[in-house]
Amino acid sequence: MKKLFIVANWKSNKTTSQCYLWFQSISGIKLHQAEIAHKEVIVCPSYTLLSEAKKAITESALPIKLGGQNLSPFDEGAYTGEVNGLQIREFGEYVIIGHSERRERFSESDDLLSKKVEVACHHTLIPVFCVQNEKIPIPNGVAIVAYEPIGAIGTSKPDSPKNADEVARVIKEKQNIQYVLYGGSVTAFNAKSFTDMPHIDGVLVGGASLDPFEFLEIVKHA
Ligand code: PGA
């Protein structure tokens, strides 16, 4: 059975009390071993929630890892407003880099993203590197790529599993990438249609991950 990555990208949502409730809801539901075997479940909340999330995971021994949604291209120092790799690594093992919202709204360039990947690897954070199509350059050090076509993000108009699989195949072949996830309007209803495809190794879930019950359904059925 192939390994699957189920990644929740909460974006800029939730307060600490909402984060606490999300994890409370998750911990109230027992998952059978068969439902999570071979699945790496990763939640990427805002920086301000990482501590609360880690506490909840530890207290209830949940099979969930944490990640950041971004990181500073610099290490510690005089970089007001930045959160560096060492700080994220205290809480999580993963970091999303190159999301289209960061590329578009925060003008993150390919060069900057490549620097972020370098810093992430230096701190043993595993990058989940987002690309919007198969032509986007992927920096060295990336093993997990999330293919997220812009028109599918937050629109309820996901790519077709067949097309997403073809893009994943090309990325794996041409750029020598080990895992390719699909992201963009993933729901409990459609997740399996993507993870069933031969070249897709998981899903990156935005809106549908905010509801703990829907996210659990995605985890169970992916
Ligand atoms: P969506 O977002 O699931 O809400 O479409 C996915 C993402 O932006 O990572």
Side-chain angles (χ1 to χ4, degrees), residues 57-211:
I57 289 169
T58 310
E59 274 170 9
S60 304
L62 298 173
I64 297 179
K65 306 268 174 68
L66 287 173
Q69 299 173 10
N70 180 31
L71 89 168
S72 172
F74 301 105
D75 277 331
E76 300 165 280
Y79 305 104
T80 303
E82 289 295 279
V83 176
N84 67 57
L86 185 66
Q87 292 171 318
I88 296 170
R89 192 66 185 84
E90 265 198 291
F91 302 101
E93 292 169 45
Y94 291 86
V95 62
I96 297 171
I97 298 178
H99 193 283
S100 57
E101 288 154 12
R102 296 222 52 95
R103 290 176 192 262
E104 274 176 30
R105 298 181 180 224
F106 300 91
S107 310
E108 295 198 351
S109 65
D110 291 337
D111 282 352
L112 179 72
L113 296 173
S114 169
K115 180 82 179 89
K116 289 188 179 200
V117 167
E118 197 185 309
V119 169
C121 294
H122 175 71
H123 290 288
T124 66
L125 281 164
I126 301 168
V128 176
F129 191 81
C130 300
V131 301
Q132 295 67 50
N133 57 60
E134 68 279 19
K135 298 192 185 81
I136 301 282
I138 300 172
N140 285 336
V142 170
I144 306 174
V145 161
Y147 160 57
E148 296 205 312
I150 289 176
I153 295 181
T155 57
S156 306
K157 291 190 185 118
D159 199 349
S160 69
K162 193 165 172 284
N163 189 61
D165 189 60
E166 175 56 15
V167 174
R169 186 190 67 77
V170 171
I171 291 171
K172 283 183 170 176
E173 256 179 42
K174 296 225 167 105
Q175 313 220 42
N176 200 21
I177 294 296
Q178 193 176 2
Y179 301 108
V180 178
L181 323 184
Y182 168 74
S185 298
V186 171
T187 61
F189 179 71
N190 65 23
K192 192 167 160 50
S193 64
F194 291 100
T195 54
D196 270 350
M197 301 307 285
H199 304 98
I200 297 180
D201 307 288
V203 283
L204 176 51
V205 191
S209 72
L210 296 173
D211 177 338

Side-chain angles (χ1 to χ4, degrees), residues 23-24 26-28 30 53-63:
F23 280 101
Q24 280 285 307
I26 292 263
S27 54
K30 275 265 160 289
K54 187 170 181 184
K55 209 167 90 197
I57 289 169
T58 310
E59 274 170 9
S60 304
L62 298 173

